């Protein structure tokens, strides 16, 4: 598709969502429900619009795996709160249950994989995960995209490609946040690469 037209449609979509979210927040305020309602706004995936030469979501680069998320809960979450810890989608349900008052025993009975990040929203210091995992399995509809596995820490990311590409990746997200320099063959990182592999 024409990239300019696609980008224009994408921007129109985001504008429509923004306007309608504003309508929801205005209604909550008008009905005096805003102080007792939690609003979570998030995407289901990131998306590349030309970054790394891709127009897709099926890879382990940051533009693809980072998911936009905003949370609004007056009196519970301070305005401007930003969390830099590694949070995954599996944390959403436990967090909402925690906010709604479900106790830990009730949550344990549900056997969820994630855990509540409400303490992080409250700016509390807690022990948290040191890495996240990513996986994508080859699909018939997207035959050029290989099965991909990745592990990401606060600083590094190791990507393993199985199939078509077969050239793994290693990125230092602190010095190269746009992942433009694959360090997979740099001897100085061999120990870190092997550890993550």
């Amino acid at each position: 598709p024409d990239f300019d037209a696609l980008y224009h449609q994408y921007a129109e979509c985001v504008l429509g969502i923004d306007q309608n979210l504003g309508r929801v927040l205005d209604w909550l305020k008008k009905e005096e429900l805003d102080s007792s309602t939690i609003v979570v706004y998030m995407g289901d995936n990131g998306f590349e619009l030309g970054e790394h030469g891709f127009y897709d979501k099926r890879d382990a680069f940051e533009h693809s795996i980072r998911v936009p998320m905003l949370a609004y809960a007056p009196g519970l979450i301070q305005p401007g709160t930003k969390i830099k810890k590694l949070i995954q989608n599996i944390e959403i349900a436990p967090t909402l249950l925690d906010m709604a008052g479900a106790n830990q025993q009730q949550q344990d009975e549900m056997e969820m994989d994630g855990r509540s990040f409400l303490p992080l929203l409250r700016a509390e210091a807690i022990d948290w995960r040191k890495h996240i995992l990513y996986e994508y399995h080859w699909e018939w509809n997207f035959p050029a995209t290989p099965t991909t596995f990745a592990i990401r820490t606060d600083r590094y990311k190791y990507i393993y490609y199985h199939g078509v590409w077969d050239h793994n990746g290693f990125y230092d997200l602190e010095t190269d946040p746009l992942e433009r320099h694959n360090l997979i063959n740099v001897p100085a990182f061999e120990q870190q690469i092997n550890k993550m592999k």
Side-chain angles (χ1 to χ4, degrees), residues 80-97:
T81 298
K82 291 183 181 176
I83 298 175
K84 297 197 181 220
K85 301 284 186 186
L86 299 168
I87 294 175
Q88 294 186 276
N89 58 355
I90 58 174
E91 264 81 61
I92 303 301
T95 302
L96 293 176
L97 286 168

Side-chain angles (χ1 to χ4, degrees), residues 9 19 32 38 50 58 94 97 99 108 130 133 148 153 159 169 184 195:
Q9 290 169 353
Q19 290 171 334
E32 298 181 355
I38 300 159
R58 293 166 183 83
L97 286 168
M99 288 177 165
D108 290 345
K130 305 292 187 235
L133 303 173
T148 306
T153 67
I159 304 172
I184 196 71
K195 179 182 175 186

